[in-house]
Amino acid sequence: MKMVFKIARYTMVDQMRAKSFYLLIALSIGLLFLMRGCYSADYVINGQPVESIWHVSRVIFQVIVMGMLLMVSMISMRIFTRDQNDGSVQMFLSRPVNRREYVLGRIIGTWLISSGFMLLLHLTMVLMVWSHTGDINLGYIGASIVCSVNLLFIVAAVCLFSLFMPDFISALFAIGLLCAGFVSDGGYRLLNSEMIAILIPSISGSSPATWRVFYPKLFMVQAYADALISQNDFVTLGPVHPLINVLAYIVLLISLTVLVFNKKSI
């Protein structure tokens, strides 16, 4: 594992060496500050005034996560291709590093740098909420850590697909998995919400299809993160907690990536 963390550290340093990385951080934080007026705006739902800052901050939290999921898919799609083109993979494997350590180091390093980026943006948002309310909700921090599991899933999926497909197609394929899960689980939660139960009682309360129970629960992980922020009860979909579901898929994806990469000619 020592070599894995060395390669992970090298991956993080390599990403941070690019000037575009800091430019992207500055632009992202700048956008958050441009949106600060949304925190103090007045909103009315069903004729009742609501405390906007908590609702808006939860939406912005999820927007940050979605942006990071798209960004990390773009970063991950060229990890192996770039290393092979510039000779980095030969440099790593010529040292006392096996292929499993190389793959794990690259995946973990990409995940850590993207998770740190996302946490920085979430901390910026927490400070903005604190400046308006005087309160710090630590649920945002826990929720950010929970959502980093989705980032690891995307990194592992894109890395695996990039061994079979062109870079951009592998990223699109992983995003397609993400969107399918969001539409499926999000649609199921919507159809079983209290509002739909009142309007269309015939379709609410139906049991989910079997494939939905076993499909990667990326949407439900973010729903669980939102429950940590709002401190509301979380109702899962299926018998397994979404974090366990997604972690199981991550182990499977990384194992397949290592297996395929071991058989790949360098």
Side-chain angles (χ1 to χ4, degrees), residues 240-260:
V240 179
H241 194 282
L243 279 177
I244 298 176
N245 172 279
V246 175
L247 286 172
Y249 272 102
I250 289 170
V251 172
L252 176 62
L253 289 170
I254 293 178
S255 299
L256 289 174
T257 304
V258 171
L259 180 64
V260 174

Side-chain angles (χ1 to χ4, degrees), residues 7-18 22 109 113:
I7 297 174
R9 185 182 64 180
Y10 176 86
T11 302
M12 296 171 64
V13 171
D14 187 43
Q15 292 291 341
M16 294 173 65
R17 191 178 293 126
Y22 299 98
I113 192 67

Side-chain angles (χ1 to χ4, degrees), residues 21 68 111-121 123 151:
F21 177 79
M68 289 303 307
W111 170 59
L112 288 176
I113 192 67
S114 59
S115 297
F117 192 172
M118 182 173 69
L119 182 60
L120 176 62
L121 296 180
L123 285 173
L151 291 184

Side-chain angles (χ1 to χ4, degrees), residues 3 15 22 29 31-32 34 67 91 96 99 142 150 196 210 229:
M3 296 306 301
Q15 292 291 341
Y22 299 98
I29 294 177
L31 286 174
L32 288 178
L34 287 176
M91 178 192 70
R99 295 193 179 200
N150 279 358
I196 297 298
T210 303
I229 298 172

